[in-house]
Amino acid sequence: MGSPQALDDTDRRLVSLWAADCAERVLPLFETQAPDDGRARDGIERARGYGRGDLEAATMIRRRFEAGRAARSVHSPAAVAAARAAGQASGVAHMGAHALGAAAYAAKAASLDTTDSEAARRDEVGWQVEHMTPGVRSALTKLPLLGENSAGPLGNGLLTSGVLAVTIREIQAELRSEAG
């Protein structure tokens, strides 16, 4: 049996489209600093292709790290977070929980590009939640809560601390309050 963080292929395709939308909102923060580096944009486009059914999971899995590696080509924390959002979106075909990583990094990127970081982060999370389809909400609700399962990105890694963890916990609390 696979990890509960994986989700089935249908659910991964749904959340892949949402994750791509989340990452694309902050993509200009990356592209302004690295206009000739197309890896982050390509990762988002591949996530969309997978979500639409144009690409198979195996293709996405082989290339899932490319977009995230673009973070090494920029120095601004907001641009780094935007590239990581794209990287997380491109990883959804491998494991559905990466969709929450894409959302968290996008919110972090937005928060780092302003003087009122908490308001910007909350605004971004609000947009993300508002733009979930019922299918995306249902799929994301199937994921374990942050830190409850170690077999994936919601386990013991970078997503479980700091502003990333705060963001994921807020999204998951919102989903559970709607479901309950």
Side-chain angles (χ1 to χ4, degrees):
M1 180 175 152
S3 167
Q5 295 189 45
L7 300 177
D8 66 25
D9 190 62
T10 300
D11 285 341
R12 285 195 316 274
R13 288 183 189 275
L14 286 171
V15 301
S16 184
L17 294 169
W18 175 76
D21 289 345
C22 292
E24 187 172 51
R25 285 179 49 85
V26 295
L27 184 61
L29 299 173
F30 172 80
E31 290 182 327
T32 298
Q33 292 201 356
D36 298 327
D37 189 338
R39 292 177 291 179
R41 179 168 293 282
D42 180 63
I44 292 169
E45 290 307 315
R46 283 186 289 105
R48 281 210 174 87
Y50 171 72
R52 289 188 307 263
D54 299 339
L55 296 173
E56 292 303 315
T59 301
M60 291 295 294
I61 290 168
R62 280 194 301 276
R63 297 186 61 196
R64 70 185 182 274
F65 297 116
E66 292 173 16
R69 287 186 184 125
R72 297 180 190 153
S73 67
V74 292
H75 300 289
S76 145
V80 168
R84 289 187 177 149
Q88 290 284 319
S90 70
V92 171
H94 173 251
M95 192 162 281
H98 284 295
L100 290 174
Y105 272 111
K108 180 178 181 176
S111 78
L112 293 169
D113 189 49
T114 185
T115 55
D116 192 350
S117 61
E118 184 57 17
R121 187 190 67 76
R122 286 187 181 174
D123 286 347
E124 196 65 23
V125 170
W127 182 93
Q128 293 167 352
V129 170
E130 287 175 21
H131 286 83
M132 289 178 188
T133 65
V136 168
R137 289 174 190 274
S138 175
L140 292 176
T141 302
K142 295 174 187 176
L143 293 170
L145 292 175
L146 184 68
E148 286 187 356
N149 176 274
S150 63
L154 300 178
N156 302 324
L158 294 174
L159 299 179
T160 61
S161 64
V163 70
L164 300 173
V166 168
T167 300
I168 292 170
R169 284 189 179 101
E170 284 178 4
I171 293 169
Q172 288 188 314
E174 179 71 25
L175 291 169
R176 277 163 174 70
S177 73
E178 291 173 4

